[in-house]
Each structure stands twice: as structure tokens, then as C-alpha cells.
Amino acid sequence: MKCINLDEKWTFRRGFLDSIGALEGAPGVEVNLPHDGMIGTAVTPDAPAKSDMGYFKGDITNYTKYVMIPKEWENECVGLQFDGVMMNATVDINGGKVALQHYGYAPFYVDLTKYVTFGEENRITIHTNTSMETTSRWYTGSGLFREVKLCHAPRVHIVPDGVFVYTKEVADGYAFLEAQVEIENTTLENRMVEVSISLVKDGSEEIETQTKRVIQVNSCDREIARIALNVKNPMLWDAENPNLYQVKVQAKNLGVYRTRLVKDDTATVDEAVTLFGIRTITADSVRGLRINGKEVKLKGGCVHHDNGLLGAVSLYESEARKVRKLKEVGFNAIRTAHNPPSAALIEACDREGMYVFDEAFDAWGMAKRGGDYSQFFADCWEKDLTAFVRRDRNHPSVIIWSTGNEIPERGGLDNGYTLATQLAETMRKVDGTRPVSNGICTLWAGLDDTLAKGQNQSQNAADSEAIKWENVTEPFTNGLDIVGYNYMEYLYENDHEMFPERVILGSENFPQVIGYRWPMVERLPYVIGDFTWTAWDYLGEAGIGKAVYVDKDDPLVEKGSWSLMPQPGSPFPWRTANDADFDITGHMLPQGAYRNVVYGSDKTYLFSMHPETFGKVEMITMWGFPVVLSNWNYSGFEGKPVELVVYSRAEEVEVIVNGQSLGRKPVGTEPPMPNSVRFETVYQPGKVEAISYRGGKEISRDTLLTTGEAAEIRITPEKLEMKADGHDVIYVGIEVLDKDGLVVPDAAAKLSAKVSGCAVLAGFGSGNPITDEDYTDEETVSYRGRAMAILRSGYEKGAVNLTVSAEGLNTVQVDLQVI
């Protein structure tokens, strides 16, 4: 099918549009898609979902666009391709409902052929409904948050997402591929169709190989053309070498088949193009995970679907930027927690080189929240799962499928054991080339009343001695090629004794433990990787990552870290999870620095702890991280004891404070945080240096400096040009500096931004996890001396100006271009 991007100029309204009169009475707001109808709304303490949604509220919204359907398409098929609509969406054409889609994350196609009027404008209205709260355990956003396409094709055509190409083998200088092309015939006669396929390197027109096949497709039916391709001297895809091809397919209608072929005078032709990479995948408990025959350990991070200041809007450049930054820390894999991601993210992983653990559901038939997908699961799961796998199955970055996360049915309730196998087999039916997994956790939920007695009901708590997790969940793993273990690293070696053929994946783990868990992952061949919760901070599940410092006699000490996570959730205005290697603006946090060292970097990272925490008891939630700061500004604490923390994989570290050495210490190698070392000193303004040594020689160093007062701001765009496609963005970092140009790490400056020209201010804010700011307005406050502005292009070329002012400081501006 030929598809036209339909994202430009929709009219957005709140509420339900039930008549043409209501349409005329509410002018609405013009928006370009993708668009999040929730991110610009106010957060309030009375939000029904509370911290689950970062104190945002759901509502009912609608989007309308008038589209001319050409007269010359009258003998063709016409439809809309949605990459996802959040959620409970209805599609109306000219006032009539033609489709309903509950699951917000799944792609879907709506055939409009029987409903549109050719040669005229047709009104498309999409309603979305996130008001059935609580709909999720995290921020969902709302509306048309992913791209929409208008598709048309001849009556004999390639089905949407109907091209499937996979690598059977790479050997003897060749890649042996098989293509399956699904053809639909909507005419009233049996047809003969010539299906031709060619493979070209991405960005080139030179054909690497091509072939064709003729098949018969009966009236009002579908048929699959199966075609072998041999590629000489193939370029293989992996995370380090993301070599890509384009598969180009044509389906030519040769004519009617009666007792012989009767050729048409004018043969119609349909076309499709898909991105593809040549690579092989195997996984077993002896050799581990192998990509193209080489063992790979997955250095993974769980990533939710939102893009921070942009809300749930998914744009290719935002997703690619995220992937690039994750790779800089050392990640080579992401888990799409806990739902189908956008097509933009998957393409970014293909192009940038990032393995994907591609996940389908957070809930099946048993609810986790009252308004979640569980109420529609029985009727919709097969359709949604199939559409998701069909969309992603050509992408080389996708190496593992996941049927779900921490599913309550893992203990067998609600027919969970057989359902688990059924979902896995459905995935294999659509794509049998990748292993299937599921992120399984302990039995803090998912047991009947009798078995649940005596179990710790806290999320991801360890099981009691009376319950054998392996026995209870074994039937649930029946359909899995790889068993995902959420927060159960302590079971790996024991379970290998019980199930020696089982391939284990650390599908979700606490961020603090990577230092002593990762060497175990590297040592055990049957454990193929580890995924931290999380790699990138996100909206909702607010405050699950906390650390506080209290006196030894504080009642919290006896209650333990779970007391930092009260049952109603984190108090208003907590907004983000605060549990990640990067904040929502893409600024690397100390957790990311530590991981970078654990994954093999020779860098030295120096941090301090606030003097007011010295000598106190550190209490951290399981998803939290110690509060270490890139800061040496502690006015008023002169002469007070302070602790310095260094992350390094060297043999020893020396710390020098204002020219005086504190000596050298060996870098820790034991839990709780190997690859780290701590020093105590007395705070005095000035300069602190940490120097890492191996074999007596310096390998790297880091520095903390006391800065002056905030004197000015600096803005730094990450690029100077963006495309006039409505989807491109420029991230502009904002820093508060002292008179010497140093970032003031404790500066909270009031900032305002103005954008003029051919772009809009799509997001403006900081990484502050506790805020009631509106990311879509022109005001924010810097957090630890930093903020971010995101400019988004429209569809016009021309100049753009960004002006940023700081209260009591200077005003700066930068000129950019939309090309």
C-alpha cells in the first residue's frame, strides 16, 4: 500500500463530539501529530490515579481532520494506519463510527473503503477516553500520540504489514533469506499475481539481489507468496554494526484466472518497502545468547514510552537521541516496558544499534488497576498481539518477544498456565524466528487466598519458605524460550540446577545492585543479560526511587525503606519515578555514571554527599540510589564533616582537597557497591580532585569546584537545523553559570522562553522529580543549575529564534533553521 503521512493540522478538542452541530460550536485548537492531550493539563492533589500518573488526570478528547479522498481512488482500497491511540479510541467517518480500539499501545489498521466518499472531503474524527481511572500504573498520556497514515492500494494489494523477511542462515559467504508476502484480493474474481522482491542497501539504489514468484489469490481471500533470496557477501546487523537494507516488494495483478490466465488490459501494481537487517539469533543454556554466532550479554535498561517534557509524544529524533545517550553509558539493549513501543523507537534502535526486548502487555485478564486493559483483554489480546508482532517482526533490533510483565496469572489463576502458552504460540505463529520470554516476578501477588497467607504482599518482596516459586511458576514458563526473572538474581544458580536447559534473563532488577550482580551475569553462560529499572526517568510511578537520611533513633529506621513508599503513593507534587540513569531531559545522573564504570569505562566520577547527611542512616527504596551530587557548594557548612564518593574501576583512588591529599584507598570490590570508594573530609570551599590509578599509573581523574553566585545563563542547542516535516526537534540545554563559566550546581533560577519563526516550544522544564510545572508553557525553574527547551518544527521552512531569560540574570538567544 502507498501511505501518506496524515499528521499535519488536526483540530483538537476536549469532550465528546456527538454531532456536526457540536463540531461547529467548538472551534478547537490546531495541532500537529503526534500530540499528547494530557501533558499540558494541570496536575492536582485530587487526581484519581495520584502518583501512579504523576498527578495528571484522564479525560475525553477528540481530533478532527477533513481529508480529500481523490476520485481516481474510487476503484482502490483506502484505510487509516494508526501506530497507537491512547486509549479506548473510536474512529468516525462523516459522523459514523467505523472502528473501536481499546489498547492504546497497539498499532491498528481501519479499512475505510466502504465508508468514504470519493472525490470529496471526508471528516475523520477520533475520540479518545482515558477517564476510566485508574487506567495504568504509570503516565499514559492521551490522544493521537503516535503517527497516523492514510493508505490506498489497488483491489489486489499487499496487506498492511504483510511483508515478512527473515534470515534462515548465514554461511559460506551468503545470507539465505526467506520472504513471505501476504496478498489480498478484494475483487470478485480469482487473480494471478506476480510478486517481485529486491534487496538494496539502505540509502542506496543498487540492487543486491532480486527475484519473483507468481501466485493465485482467490476472490475475497488472501494468499502468501513464499520467496527465497540469497545475498552474497552480506552486511550483518548487530548493535555495534547496524547495517541495514531496504526490502522493496511489488505485487502486479496479471489478470483473472478462470481455466487459464486471462490478462488484464491495464495491470495494477502495488508496492511496499520495509527496513530490514540480516542477522541470526540463538539462545541456549550452554552457549548463551548468540547474535550472528557471537555471544552477547545484554546490558539492558527498561524504558517506558513517554518522552519526558514532550509527554507521550513519540518523534524519531527524540527516540534516536535517547538511544544514542543510552549507548554512551554502555547499554546495548532496552526493554519496552511494558507495552508495544512506537514504530519510531524501533526504527531508532535499528539505525543506532540497540537490541530490543519487545513487550506486549502489563496486564492480562486479571487487573492491576481498575480501569486497565484487563477488562478488554479476553476479546482483544489476539488482535492486538498479532498487530504488534506483524509491525515489528522485520526489524533486526528486535531480538526477543515478551508476552507480558509480572502477570498476576503467573500462579495459574484465571487459566494463567494455559493462557501463557497460548500467547507464546500466537507470537510464534506470526514470527517463529525469535525467542519468546515473559518478565516473571515473585509471588507477592497471583496466589489464591490459602497460598497467599504468610506471603509478603509488598511489591517484588521475596517469597516465603512455604512457597516454592519454581514449582508454582513452572507451568507458566511452558511456552517460553527464555525465562525472565524480575528481581530474583539470587535464584539464578539454584534454578540452573533444577532446570539445566533453562535460559535465564534478568528482565528487571534494582539499580543499586548492578555492581555486584553484573560479574555474575558475565560468569554464567545460561544468564544472557540484565535489565535495570530504569534506564531513563519517566512520568508516573512517582517517587519509587527515593533516598533519605535520618538520625539513628528515627522511627523510620525500624520501619525500613518500604515506609518511604506509603500505600497511597508519593505525595503531591511528585511527578517522576526518580529511579534512572538519565533524568527526563537526558542529563546523566550518578546512577548512570556508576553503571558506566561497572560496564567497563576507565573514567573517574567524583561526587559529594551533602554535609547535613553525614553520620546519618541512609534509607533507600529498592528502586532508589544514594543521593550523591556533582557539587562542592555548601555555604554555611564550612568546617563540617562531609563524605566524598568516587566511582572507578581502577585499583586505587587518591583524593586531593585544596591541594592536600587524603591519601590513596583501594577501590571496593565487594557488595553493596563495588567499583566505589568513600573518603571523609571537612568541607572547605575550593577544589576537590579524585585520581584513579592502575599499576601505580594514573588512568583518569575528576574534579569538583566551588562555584560563585549565579551570574548568567548559557544555552546550547544540540544541533542548528531541523527538517520541515513536523516531526523534527532540537534540544537546547540551558545552564546557570557563575562569572567564570562554571555550572552552578545548586542554582534554581526562574526561566522564561520565547520561540518565534517556523517552530514551536514543544517542551520546557527540568529534571526535577518533584514539581507542579506545566511543561508546555513558557516558564520553568532550573534544577541543579540546568533546564531544557525542546523546539519542534512545523511544515514551513525558515528561521527560528529562541530567547531565554533568567530572572535577575541575563537574556540569551540563538538563531536556528528549519530546512
Side-chain angles (χ1 to χ4, degrees):
M1 283 189 150
K2 294 179 180 178
C3 293
I4 303 163
N5 186 279
L6 210 61
D7 288 346
E8 185 179 5
K9 293 183 179 178
W10 287 71
T11 301
F12 172 71
R13 300 174 176 87
R14 298 198 181 276
F16 186 73
L17 190 67
D18 61 355
S19 68
I20 190 70
L23 183 72
E24 294 169 350
V29 178
E30 184 178 280
V31 299
N32 291 332
L33 309 183
H35 175 262
D36 181 357
M38 186 180 291
I39 193 63
T41 61
V43 291
T44 59
D46 63 348
K50 297 191 178 297
S51 59
D52 275 355
M53 289 275 282
Y55 290 93
F56 286 91
K57 295 179 181 178
D59 63 356
I60 298 172
T61 63
N62 64 86
Y63 297 78
T64 292
K65 184 178 178 69
Y66 286 88
V67 178
M68 170 61 72
I69 306 297
K71 184 73 173 175
E72 45 274 30
W73 292 4
E74 194 164 24
N75 293 318
E76 297 189 349
C77 296
V78 180
L80 290 173
Q81 181 76 54
F82 297 90
D83 196 42
V85 181
M86 186 60 66
M87 56 180 289
N88 299 315
T90 58
V91 180
D92 294 358
I93 300 297
N94 299 324
K97 176 181 167 183
V98 299
L100 170 65
Q101 171 68 21
H102 289 295
Y103 195 29
Y105 299 105
F108 63 101
Y109 178 82
V110 180
D111 188 352
L112 304 182
T113 309
K114 297 186 293 184
Y115 306 106
V116 296
T117 303
F118 294 92
E120 295 182 11
E121 281 197 331
N122 291 254
R123 176 169 66 89
I124 304 172
T125 294
I126 317 296
H127 282 96
T128 68
N129 184 353
T130 54
S131 69
M132 301 166 62
E133 298 180 283
T134 299
T135 60
S136 175
R137 298 187 297 120
W138 57 85
Y139 176 87
T140 59
S142 71
L144 298 178
F145 70 130
R146 296 177 181 172
E147 68 178 354
V148 179
K149 295 178 180 178
L150 176 67
C151 304
H152 68 104
R155 295 286 179 165
V156 177
H157 57 262
I158 302 164
V159 172
D161 292 325
V163 177
F164 177 34
V165 187
Y166 63 93
T167 306
K168 296 171 65 177
E169 184 183 11
V170 177
D172 303 323
Y174 281 87
F176 301 96
L177 315 180
E178 179 166 306
Q180 299 176 8
V181 182
E182 189 173 6
I183 307 297
E184 183 175 31
N185 173 14
T186 64
T187 74
L188 298 179
E189 299 168 304
N190 297 341
R191 298 280 174 168
M192 300 300 291
V193 182
E194 180 185 87
V195 181
S196 60
I197 185 168
S198 61
L199 194 73
V200 301
K201 291 178 182 177
D202 187 42
S204 170
E205 293 299 321
E206 183 178 348
I207 296 175
E208 298 293 313
T209 186
Q210 60 183 345
T211 188
K212 63 182 179 180
R213 181 172 307 287
V214 176
I215 63 171
Q216 178 175 321
V217 187
N218 289 341
S219 170
C220 299
D221 203 357
R222 295 182 176 188
E223 189 58 76
I224 293 176
R226 300 179 184 273
I227 305 172
L229 297 107
N230 301 333
V231 184
K232 188 175 182 180
N233 299 322
M235 300 187 309
L236 303 186
W237 187 98
D238 61 25
E240 289 72 41
N241 303 283
N243 299 308
L244 291 169
Y245 293 87
Q246 285 196 7
V247 178
K248 299 185 176 182
V249 182
Q250 283 192 343
K252 184 178 181 181
N253 175 17
L254 298 177
V256 177
Y257 188 82
R258 300 184 189 280
T259 57
R260 57 183 172 80
L261 173 63
V262 180
K263 293 185 177 181
D264 281 349
D265 294 334
T266 56
T268 60
V269 176
D270 189 26
E271 298 177 342
V273 179
T274 185
L275 207 58
F276 176 69
I278 297 173
R279 58 101 186 89
T280 60
I281 307 170
T282 61
D284 58 63
S285 62
V286 176
R287 299 171 300 170
L289 175 68
R290 295 169 73 85
I291 306 294
N292 301 325
K294 299 178 181 178
E295 185 182 12
V296 172
K297 293 288 186 178
L298 298 179
K299 301 175 179 178
C302 297
V303 177
H304 266 311
H305 73 290
D306 76 74
N307 273 304
L309 306 180
L310 297 175
V313 166
S314 180
L315 302 167
Y316 176 83
E317 182 57 29
S318 294
E319 307 293 6
R321 175 181 182 265
K322 183 184 298 181
V323 172
R324 289 192 294 268
K325 285 183 172 289
L326 292 174
K327 290 192 72 170
E328 289 171 4
V329 166
F331 289 104
N332 66 5
I334 62 170
R335 178 188 181 196
T336 67
H338 299 293
N339 44 258
S342 67
L345 175 60
I346 296 299
E347 182 180 347
C349 292
D350 283 348
R351 295 190 178 281
E352 300 293 337
M354 181 70 76
Y355 300 119
V356 178
F357 180 22
D358 214 358
E359 193 148 69
F361 303 116
D362 188 53
W364 292 354
M366 294 178 67
K368 293 183 177 180
R369 294 294 185 269
D372 68 18
Y373 180 66
S374 63
Q375 57 197 318
F376 311 113
F377 180 81
D379 294 327
C380 300
W381 73 261
E382 188 169 5
K383 166 183 68 71
D384 293 336
L385 186 69
T386 299
F388 154 57
V389 175
R390 283 173 64 93
R391 187 199 65 183
D392 289 354
R393 60 186 175 174
N394 288 321
H395 292 278
S397 59
V398 177
I399 60 168
I400 304 171
W401 299 117
S402 171
T403 57
N405 170 69
E406 298 185 356
I407 299 300
E409 290 91 332
R410 62 190 176 277
L413 299 180
D414 198 28
N415 200 35
Y417 293 150
T418 56
L419 187 58
T421 301
Q422 192 177 358
L423 265 73
E425 289 304 316
T426 298
M427 280 183 153
R428 289 191 186 91
K429 182 179 178 182
V430 183
D431 170 29
T433 70
R434 293 170 174 86
V436 178
S437 186
N438 184 291
I440 310 173
C441 62
T442 57
L443 295 164
W444 53 272
L447 297 173
D448 73 359
D449 291 349
T450 299
L451 293 178
K453 290 178 181 178
Q455 283 287 97
N456 187 338
Q457 305 295 305
S458 299
Q459 185 173 351
N460 298 111
D463 293 324
S464 69
E465 292 296 325
I467 298 295
K468 189 73 171 176
W469 177 86
E470 292 85 352
N471 294 340
V472 174
T473 61
E474 184 178 3
F476 190 81
T477 69
N478 177 54
L480 304 182
D481 305 294
I482 297 169
V483 180
Y485 281 52
N486 282 15
Y487 308 107
M488 295 185 293
E489 303 100 309
Y490 53 88
L491 291 180
Y492 291 172
E493 294 182 88
N494 175 75
D495 284 12
H496 179 62
E497 295 296 320
M498 295 183 66
F499 309 107
E501 289 80 26
R502 176 176 287 184
V503 181
I504 295 173
L505 172 62
S507 43
E508 190 171 319
N509 288 311
F510 301 124
Q512 303 171 56
V513 304
I514 186 65
Y516 66 91
R517 295 300 194 188
W518 183 248
M520 176 179 65
V521 173
E522 291 189 303
R523 176 171 55 86
L524 303 176
Y526 51 86
V527 179
I528 65 171
D530 176 281
F531 284 79
T532 190
W533 191 267
T534 59
W536 198 277
D537 204 7
Y538 58 98
L539 308 179
E541 277 194 316
I544 66 168
K546 293 192 188 80
V548 299
Y549 297 82
V550 299
D551 293 329
K552 294 178 181 178
D553 58 355
D554 192 295
L556 285 175
V557 176
E558 186 175 343
K559 292 179 181 178
S561 61
W562 274 108
S563 62
L564 305 180
M565 301 179 64
Q567 188 61 37
S570 300
F572 181 84
W574 268 95
R575 177 168 295 184
T576 77
N578 194 44
D579 64 352
D581 290 33
F582 288 86
D583 71 18
I584 61 170
T585 73
H587 178 66
M588 189 180 74
L589 299 171
Q591 180 175 309
Y594 181 60
R595 188 178 311 279
N596 187 228
V597 168
V598 171
Y599 282 164
S601 172
D602 280 334
K603 290 182 179 179
T604 299
Y605 293 98
L606 170 63
F607 301 98
S608 68
M609 301 188 71
H610 199 289
E612 66 185 10
T613 68
F614 190 87
K616 295 191 174 183
V617 176
E618 183 178 67
M619 298 184 63
I620 307 178
T621 63
M622 293 184 292
W623 294 274
F625 199 79
V627 181
V628 297
L629 306 167
S630 184
N631 186 359
W632 199 238
N633 286 13
Y634 298 117
S635 178
F637 288 89
E638 290 81 2
K640 300 293 185 181
V642 65
E643 198 164 18
L644 295 162
V645 180
V646 183
Y647 300 142
S648 172
R649 64 190 296 265
E651 294 170 352
E652 56 183 1
V653 169
E654 179 183 17
V655 168
I656 301 172
V657 180
N658 294 328
Q660 299 295 314
S661 176
L662 301 183
R664 297 188 186 186
K665 285 187 176 182
V667 176
T669 59
E670 300 297 326
M673 292 193 74
N675 302 112
S676 71
V677 58
R678 296 191 175 207
F679 292 79
E680 293 180 7
T681 188
V682 172
Y683 175 69
Q684 292 294 340
K687 179 180 180 180
V688 183
E689 294 177 279
I691 307 168
S692 293
Y693 298 93
R694 184 180 298 130
K697 295 182 179 180
E698 177 181 336
I699 60 171
S700 61
R701 65 172 62 199
D702 196 13
T703 303
L704 293 177
L705 295 170
T706 302
T707 72
E709 298 281 329
E712 61 178 353
I713 58 172
R714 175 174 63 198
I715 60 176
T716 307
E718 295 182 4
K719 60 183 184 180
L720 298 177
E721 297 177 339
M722 53 181 163
K723 298 184 291 293
D725 60 2
H727 286 204
D728 207 353
V729 288
I730 296 178
Y731 284 76
V732 183
I734 303 165
E735 297 167 308
V736 183
L737 310 178
D738 71 1
K739 61 181 178 59
D740 297 319
L742 299 175
V743 175
V744 182
D746 53 357
K750 293 182 178 180
L751 304 171
S752 62
K754 296 283 186 183
V755 173
S756 61
C758 298
V760 296
L761 185 64
F764 189 44
S766 75
N768 191 348
I770 308 173
T771 181
D772 61 357
E773 290 181 344
D774 181 347
Y775 296 146
T776 66
D777 69 15
E778 298 176 338
E779 308 290 332
T780 192
V781 176
S782 65
Y783 180 64
R784 295 178 177 170
R786 301 177 190 274
M788 182 69 68
I790 307 173
L791 279 63
R792 179 174 172 181
S793 68
Y795 292 85
E796 288 185 26
K797 297 179 180 180
V800 178
N801 177 267
L802 168 66
T803 301
V804 181
S805 302
E807 187 177 285
L809 302 176
N810 60 325
T811 296
V812 292
Q813 58 181 326
V814 63
D815 292 320
L816 308 165
Q817 287 289 323
V818 178
I819 58 174

